[in-house]
Amino acid sequence: MNDNPVRRAAPTPADSIAVAASIDAHRAHPEVDLRRHARNRQIELAKSLQGRRAIYLDLKFWIGLRDAEATSGHTPHPYSDLLAALRRTVTEHRAFCPISDSCFLEVFKQSDSATRRKTAALIDELSLGVTIIPFELRVGNEIAHLLHAARTPEQVFPLDQLVWTKLSYALDYFSPPVGMFDKHTARAIEKAFFDHMWTIPLVEIEQHIGDAMSTKDPVHHERLAHTLNQDVAQHAPEIKSF
């Protein structure tokens, strides 16, 4: 876990009281470290999603759904029926629409803050605040699961319980520097911070880092996309599967 958290606004008194209470609660369980605590929250999340089908949407669909919501009650939009169907299945506990680390980054490439915020709000609603863990963690989890399951299958969690996390951790897990505290206090602060970040919606993340991320070298992104498209076309005959 790195120490570069999403920058937040100054905490409200209610935030401070909640975090203080969380620290006190975690001090009662110093035997649980941050990694184990994060894994426990991840498994709780996976169990809460049982019975729901994961429906993945790329940014094109999220933008179409956002535009359909903006025209609701006016001119019919091609995505209006899809938006209504997705909302119905999410409300009925039959599905959710998680995003990924790549989709997270794509959302923040939108330069218009108003439409970017509406996209984020729709993702909060339909994803239930859920994202698949970053690519590197998925690879590491699958390798570790393969090795440990071969030796001690009774001691590993089902792999499908290890793939989900919350939107504030779409890119990686992180924790604040706590080296100035004693071991038990530092551990409690790390876990309380994790719980606090766990609840942050994408809309709030967008409010604090949206403009900064959207202005990062758009020319570079366009050049990279052009290069990738050229390479795909050049090597298309060699591609045997997606």
Side-chain angles (χ1 to χ4, degrees), residues 1-142:
M1 296 189 178
N2 62 54
D3 57 359
N4 286 317
V6 172
R7 186 179 62 188
R8 300 202 65 196
T12 65
D15 286 335
S16 300
I17 292 172
V19 171
S22 181
I23 292 174
D24 288 340
H26 284 302
R27 282 179 64 88
H29 299 281
E31 74 282 0
V32 179
D33 63 13
L34 177 60
R35 188 173 297 277
R36 180 178 167 190
H37 178 65
R39 178 59 53 84
N40 290 343
R41 295 304 302 268
Q42 201 178 6
I43 292 170
E44 289 174 5
L45 176 62
K47 289 181 177 179
S48 74
L49 297 170
Q50 287 179 349
R52 291 180 183 265
R53 174 174 293 183
I55 301 175
Y56 296 93
L57 306 170
D58 64 23
L59 189 63
K60 172 186 175 181
F61 282 90
W62 284 114
I63 290 175
L65 294 170
R66 178 203 69 200
D67 292 344
E69 183 176 42
T71 59
S72 179
H74 304 289
T75 305
H77 190 278
Y79 281 75
S80 295
D81 289 343
L82 177 60
L83 177 59
L86 288 172
R87 278 183 161 148
R88 184 169 58 253
T89 56
V90 171
T91 301
E92 294 173 351
H93 304 279
R94 294 190 287 117
F96 68 111
C97 304
I99 65 167
S100 64
D101 49 355
S102 59
C103 185
F104 180 96
L105 292 172
E106 289 290 337
V107 168
F108 286 96
K109 289 179 186 178
Q110 298 177 78
S111 58
D112 181 75
S113 61
T115 54
R116 187 175 64 235
R117 195 156 301 164
K118 290 178 180 178
T119 306
L122 195 58
I123 290 174
D124 279 330
E125 176 190 350
L126 297 181
S127 72
L128 303 178
V130 177
T131 176
I132 195 167
I133 59 174
F135 174 77
E136 289 80 3
L137 291 182
R138 296 201 301 274
V139 172
N141 272 357
E142 292 192 14

